[in-house]
Amino acid sequence: MTYENQYMNGQTWPKLNILEILRQRNPLVICITNDVVRTFTANGLLAIGASPVMSECSEDLKDLIVHASALLINIGTLTPDKVSYYKEAIALAKKHGVPIVLDPVGCHAGAYRLSVVLDLLKTGAISLLRGNQSETKAIYDALSSDTKEAASTLGKGVDGAQVADSAVTAYRLARLINCPVVATGEEDYVSDGTRVFAVPHGHPIMTAVTGTGCLLGAVLAAFFSAYYPCKNRLSIGEFLAYALAYYGLAGESAVQVSGIKPGSFSTAFMDALYSLDDAVLKSENRIRPLVVPDQLEVYFISGTQDVELNENRLLSIVEDACRGGVTCFQFREKGAGTLVGQQKLELAQQLKQICAKYNVLYVINDDVDLAMAVNADGVHVGQEDMGLEEVRNLVGHKVVGISIHSVEELHKTDVIYADCVGVGPMYATSSKPDAQAPCGPNQITELQGAGLTLPCVGIGGITLDNAKPVLQAGACGVAIISAIAHADNPYEAVQQFKHLVDSTK
């Protein structure tokens, strides 16, 4: 039986054929890369269906850039002369609208390398930063620190190590530099500043073959050519997660053929990149959506029922709240006189545009069909709504939130299908007429003591005066309705909540 979405009038999203699109387009990828990996990179790009060209001077690049689908800059063999060329190449690519992938090889290991990377990022033209977890952490620490000591480099050679909280670092760095970040390690992470995804890396033997990391940067560059046809269906973060999944699957497939032998692996890896198709990529379902604590810090929930059924007022308040720094917005349209059908769909689409403008996670309350129809970032359901497993099967890699009110509910909830939890009501609330009795902030501590490991947010009757105990009890953030929707100045109200959360960490 085919599932029919009530908002889509019998229409369905087109099938995802990412690899097919890439291979049909045969994108030209200009590689400014290190001396060690040129042949491996060229062969890898040919294997995936792209056309590689290596360029080493501006005169040459001026002729090539007009035909290019992407530009890779890999700083593996760095010299002062090359730095000048990197900057010239970035200027040319920016002029012609060509996406730029920067691979900051070894920037965690030396101050000079790190300074070069920071200088290139200042151009504001980088489309994707791809590094190992040590490299991305070094960049984030340098950009977010006020002291040179805190931004000092720690590394040995260009290899990286697994770094704690790399998913959080990728999310924060993507927001800081305003472009997607891929951080590779034992598990790879990608964030576009709104969403975060985890993807299994492939196989450890890949780290024993020179060039597999550098080739990944080139492969990601080639994938940019296939994004436009998919952009209404996938965020750039999820799209890049598919690219990582493809690369990891190729590594695992190669090991099955070659065994754990670096020399044999290289050949088998090229074969796997060439032979894997979209059917394999989609069937493996290797992409895991994540919610990091930062995304829940100031979680605004609202619908027309909270603003006297005034759609324009809701849009204005949500935009002010997004400007003020809310980290997540949940569209909750429930109650007498609220919108349904086409009107609800149109308002949801407008709210999505606002959230996308400010890189705010956009979640739909209790309406899976609507979340799918507008391609929201996620959906939140209650205990009496659709079951979590069914929700996950329908929404795929979107964020799934669940309300939990007690330890008893926790034990009967399939939290394996969820990504985050709303706990409440913390206090008495008038925003939700059917709300249960207040459970208080201690309920968060009890749930975590009973095994809740997902990031959670406290909800229900929260104001500036009573939010701190919720955070101190273990919540990542606070979910707010009236204190923002009814504020004289929603922008300032959000700013005050942000300051409170930051000061309580």
Side-chain angles (χ1 to χ4, degrees):
M1 181 177 177
T2 303
Y3 178 83
E4 187 169 329
N5 188 309
Q6 62 176 307
Y7 295 97
M8 297 184 70
N9 299 319
Q11 296 180 331
T12 58
W13 291 105
K15 291 182 179 180
L16 286 176
N17 294 312
I18 298 171
L19 295 175
E20 181 182 345
I21 293 170
L22 188 155
R23 288 160 179 163
Q24 286 177 347
R25 296 196 170 200
N26 184 224
L28 178 69
V29 180
I30 300 176
C31 301
I32 302 173
T33 190
N34 69 72
D35 302 337
V36 181
V37 302
R38 285 196 183 113
T39 301
F40 192 81
T41 299
N43 285 337
L45 285 173
L46 289 168
I48 72 171
S51 292
V53 61
M54 307 294 159
S55 183
E56 295 187 353
C57 67
S58 298
E59 290 74 15
D60 176 53
L61 188 61
K62 289 175 184 176
D63 295 328
L64 296 172
I65 199 71
V66 296
H67 306 292
S69 293
L71 169 69
L72 168 69
I73 296 178
N74 175 306
I75 70 164
T77 47
L78 186 61
T79 67
D81 289 342
K82 287 182 179 179
V83 174
S84 299
Y85 180 39
Y86 298 155
K87 292 180 179 178
E88 293 171 3
I90 288 173
L92 279 170
K94 185 176 181 180
K95 177 181 177 182
H96 291 279
V98 175
I100 305 165
V101 175
L102 176 61
D103 192 333
V105 179
C107 71
H108 64 298
Y112 179 62
R113 284 177 179 268
L114 182 58
S115 68
V116 168
V117 171
L118 298 178
D119 205 22
L120 298 180
L121 288 172
K122 286 179 184 176
T123 64
I126 303 303
S127 308
L128 170 65
L129 179 70
R130 187 233 76 90
N132 63 44
Q133 293 177 12
S134 297
E135 291 160 353
T136 53
K137 184 178 188 304
I139 296 167
Y140 174 73
D141 287 347
L143 289 174
S144 61
S145 173
D146 295 327
T147 65
K148 290 183 178 179
E149 288 79 6
S152 62
T153 54
L154 293 171
K156 179 182 179 182
V158 299
D159 292 333
Q162 187 77 10
V163 177
D165 297 327
S166 282
V168 176
T169 299
Y171 172 77
R172 291 177 179 175
L173 182 55
R175 295 177 71 84
L176 202 57
I177 64 177
N178 197 32
C179 81
V181 172
V182 167
T184 57
E186 293 178 16
E187 184 169 51
D188 298 341
Y189 301 107
V190 57
S191 177
D192 54 18
T194 302
R195 295 293 311 279
V196 186
F197 300 92
V199 183
H201 180 63
H203 192 279
I205 191 64
M206 296 172 76
T207 63
V209 178
T210 296
T212 53
C214 295
L215 173 57
L216 175 58
V219 167
L220 291 168
F223 264 76
F224 269 96
S225 69
Y227 179 56
Y228 185 80
C230 304
K231 70 182 183 68
N232 291 328
R233 173 80 180 274
L234 302 176
S235 68
I236 186 63
E238 185 176 355
F239 178 81
L240 293 169
Y242 273 104
L244 289 171
Y246 162 64
Y247 204 73
L249 279 168
E252 293 174 10
S253 176
V255 169
Q256 292 176 5
V257 173
S258 67
I260 307 177
K261 302 173 184 176
S264 303
F265 172 84
S266 297
T267 301
F269 184 52
M270 294 297 164
D271 292 342
L273 288 172
Y274 178 81
S275 60
L276 285 180
D277 59 18
D278 286 294
V280 175
L281 178 59
K282 288 179 285 189
S283 66
E284 290 294 329
N285 193 27
R286 296 165 61 87
I287 299 168
R288 181 165 59 92
L290 294 178
V291 171
V292 297
D294 292 32
Q295 294 171 292
L296 302 179
E297 288 182 344
V298 183
Y299 190 135
F300 180 35
I301 303 173
S302 195
T304 61
Q305 70 278 353
D306 304 305
V307 293
E308 299 177 338
L309 304 180
N310 188 324
E311 296 173 48
N312 289 330
R313 185 178 173 193
L314 177 64
L315 292 168
S316 176
I317 290 172
V318 171
E319 177 129 26
D320 285 346
C322 287
R323 283 195 307 109
V326 296
T327 55
C328 181
F329 171 67
Q330 182 188 130
F331 179 39
R332 179 178 175 273
E333 186 73 358
K334 286 187 175 182
T338 54
L339 301 179
V340 296
Q342 185 66 24
Q343 290 180 311
K344 185 178 181 183
L345 174 66
E346 290 174 0
L347 180 58
Q349 290 169 329
Q350 291 175 287
L351 290 167
K352 179 192 172 184
Q353 291 173 357
I354 293 171
C355 290
K357 178 180 176 181
Y358 296 95
N359 282 344
V360 172
L361 192 71
Y362 179 48
V363 175
I364 303 290
N365 178 274
D366 184 29
D367 194 334
V368 173
D369 281 0
L370 184 63
M372 296 299 292
V374 302
N375 194 22
D377 296 314
V379 63
H380 185 94
V381 294
Q383 290 290 326
E384 305 303 320
D385 300 327
M386 185 184 293
L388 280 178
E389 184 176 6
E390 185 179 359
V391 171
R392 174 59 72 198
N393 289 336
L394 287 171
V395 305
H397 304 128
K398 295 186 184 301
V399 167
V400 175
I402 178 68
S403 297
I404 296 179
H405 309 93
S406 65
V407 172
E408 181 183 7
E409 282 188 354
L410 172 64
H411 289 157
K412 70 176 186 180
T413 301
D414 292 327
V415 291
I416 189 174
Y417 299 109
D419 304 302
C420 58
V421 172
V423 181
M426 294 288 98
Y427 309 106
T429 175
S430 59
S431 299
K432 190 175 180 183
D434 59 346
Q436 298 186 17
C439 60
N442 286 340
Q443 187 68 280
I444 295 170
T445 307
E446 291 180 18
L447 287 168
Q448 291 174 337
L452 177 63
T453 58
L454 292 175
C456 68
V457 59
I459 182 172
I462 294 176
T463 67
L464 280 168
D465 294 330
N466 62 24
K468 192 169 184 178
V470 177
L471 298 167
Q472 291 172 329
C476 298
V478 286
I480 308 129
I481 301 178
S482 298
I484 295 176
H486 298 166
D488 292 335
N489 189 323
Y491 173 88
E492 289 185 1
V494 171
Q495 289 272 294
Q496 291 173 320
F497 275 108
K498 276 190 65 66
H499 177 73
L500 177 66
V501 172
D502 290 342
S503 64
T504 308
K505 284 183 177 178

